[in-house]
Amino acid sequence: MNMLPMPETTPGLPLRCPFPLGPMGTPPPLVHWARKHRPVCPVTLPSGTPAWMITRKTDISEVLTDQRFSRDLAFTDAPRLGGKDFTSVIGSIFNSDPPDHTRIRRVVAPYYTRKHVERYRPVVTKLVTETLDAMAVGPNPTNLIEAFSEPLPPKIAVALLRVPPEMCAGFVEKDRKSTRLNSSHITI
């Protein structure tokens, strides 16, 4: 049976984010530990803000559907992973509760239909092929996450959003820093 990696010793609480990833980029062992021993676990975000991490599917579903909880993080001193992030934008879909969230979702939903997304297939296929070609002439063996999974999403975003060439490097670097699980508020 494949066991999930666990920390070798009992970690001190609160757990401090970001958590080190498991082997080959697998989910952090601290998350597996928390799920087993402290499913509702105190954590400290990279910004220094205390928060609670929930780890079980049933608890997560309950919080996401309970109207007593809110997504609205556009207030002063709201918990942040680090600095200003996409949750600090007032009126953003990422921090809106219904009915505002529902209204915004209705506006953007047509762009995520199968028919609409299918139009992106040639661009995505080209970028995947280029990335695989670069891997083929690169070091062997290679780390799939570093060589494929990390660089591909920002390349696709740059192409689909039509980011001007002179802004690409900055866009890709900011995307990389803001989406890494182990980024801190200092690196963001």
Side-chain angles (χ1 to χ4, degrees):
M1 184 168 111
N2 189 4
M3 298 295 293
L4 297 174
M6 292 283 217
E8 303 215 356
T9 60
T10 301
L13 296 177
L15 300 180
R16 183 131 186 100
C17 299
F19 306 138
L21 294 175
M24 298 297 290
T26 57
L30 283 173
V31 174
H32 301 303
W33 176 87
R35 187 177 297 122
K36 182 174 182 178
H37 300 286
R38 290 292 299 263
V40 178
C41 186
V43 297
T44 302
L45 300 177
S47 62
T49 305
W52 292 93
M53 174 178 70
I54 53 177
T55 59
R56 293 187 303 205
K57 185 178 188 287
T58 54
D59 296 334
I60 294 167
S61 295
E62 187 172 327
V63 166
L64 290 175
T65 58
D66 189 323
Q67 303 251 337
R68 293 174 293 176
F69 292 92
S70 175
R71 287 182 172 183
D72 187 358
L73 297 175
F75 57 90
T76 305
D77 296 328
R80 300 264 178 260
L81 284 177
K84 296 272 185 190
D85 61 19
F86 60 85
T87 62
S88 63
V89 178
I90 295 173
S92 162
I93 191 169
F94 299 109
N95 68 357
S96 298
D97 293 319
D100 291 331
H101 181 269
T102 309
R103 177 183 49 78
I104 297 166
R105 198 175 77 207
R106 273 194 211 115
V107 170
V108 299
Y111 296 97
Y112 292 92
T113 62
R114 182 182 305 255
K115 180 180 176 183
H116 197 86
V117 170
E118 189 63 33
R119 295 189 311 182
Y120 305 136
R121 182 180 296 274
V123 172
V124 173
T125 300
K126 177 181 178 282
L127 293 170
V128 167
T129 301
E130 288 173 2
T131 306
L132 290 172
D133 289 346
M135 287 175 61
V137 298
N140 187 1
T142 191
N143 181 319
L144 186 60
I145 292 170
E146 291 173 6
F148 186 80
S149 299
E150 282 184 353
L152 189 59
K155 287 179 186 178
I156 292 171
V158 162
L160 297 182
L161 295 173
R162 298 184 179 124
V163 175
E166 66 274 10
M167 295 177 68
C168 286
F171 178 90
V172 170
E173 185 57 28
K174 186 152 182 92
D175 176 77
R176 182 173 288 123
K177 286 179 180 178
S178 65
T179 57
R180 280 203 158 173
L181 289 175
N182 60 356
S183 287
S184 71
H185 70 288
I186 295 165
T187 59
I188 295 173

